[in-house]
């Protein structure tokens, strides 16, 4: 069965520093991959997604992620953190052969220190 | 504004009571989902529906039921609530096979 792991339940970075949130998945076939962001008391919003094609995917708010099949990873990065980036981030996968289930990782809480 | 509406926003419920969480979308999405969010566990799929008239079980379906009488509505029912069902519940929908999920703002449920 597929699963998603996110290394680090909580990450703190200084404002202006690099943001790196890690995501690894287990799947027998390359899945669709997503990063979602959740602000307090809100639902999840899509940051970016990988389905096919270019493995470096750019999303909203300056975030990007790279799909690395050999490492089964889809890490999220942003060159320079902003205070407004403080939120909960979720990596999610969906198998191309099973479109009815999206599996989420446990989430990483990002804090940005002024 | 098109999207997903969940009701109620929050609810405190006595154990043993029946409760229906409502979810309505106006985007004409075929697929709809119910997730629960618990600290440290992320989102876990309770039930899903690929199209009106069909439903399926997710990772944690026990104690919950759903129905999908039409495209827009996907209510989640707790027949007899238990404290372990205290959680934040999110309804979501999706347009096509590889499109992302759209989420409602959630229902915070406390079972006492």
């Amino acid at each position: 069965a597929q699963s998603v792991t996110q290394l680090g339940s909580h990450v703190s970075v200084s404002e202006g520093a690099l943001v790196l949130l890690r995501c690894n998945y287990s799947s027998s076939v390359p899945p669709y991959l997503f990063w979602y962001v959740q602000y307090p008391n809100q639902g999840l919003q899509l940051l970016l997604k990988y389905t096919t094609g270019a493995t470096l995917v750019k999303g909203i708010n300056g975030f990007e992620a790279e799909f690395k099949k050999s490492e089964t990873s889809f890490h999220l990065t942003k060159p320079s953190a902003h205070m407004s980036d403080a939120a909960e981030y979720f990596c999610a996968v969906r198998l191309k052969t099973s479109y009815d289930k999206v599996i989420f990782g446990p989430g990483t809480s990002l804090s940005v220190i002024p | 504004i098109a999207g997903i509406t969940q009701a109620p926003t929050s609810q405190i419920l006595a154990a043993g009571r029946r409760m229906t969480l409502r979810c309505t979308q106006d985007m004409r999405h075929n697929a709809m989902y119910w997730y629960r969010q618990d600290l440290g566990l992320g989102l876990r799929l309770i039930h899903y529906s690929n199209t009106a008239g069909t439903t399926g079980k997710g990772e944690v379906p026990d104690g919950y039921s759903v129905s999908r009488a039409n495209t827009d509505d996907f209510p989640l029912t707790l027949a007899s609530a238990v404290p372990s069902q205290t959680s934040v519940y999110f309804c979501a929908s999706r347009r096509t096979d590889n499109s992302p999920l759209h989420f409602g703002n959630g229902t915070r449920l406390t079972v006492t």
Side-chain angles (χ1 to χ4, degrees), chain A residues 6 18 20 53 65 98:
Chain A
Q6 292 182 239
L18 171 72
L20 171 61
S98 179

Side-chain angles (χ1 to χ4, degrees), chain A residues 32-48:
Chain A
Y32 293 140
L33 295 158
F34 306 85
W35 274 100
Y36 288 85
V37 60
Q38 183 182 32
Y39 298 103
N41 299 315
Q42 294 185 25
L44 281 70
Q45 305 170 33
L46 180 71
L47 268 180
L48 48 80

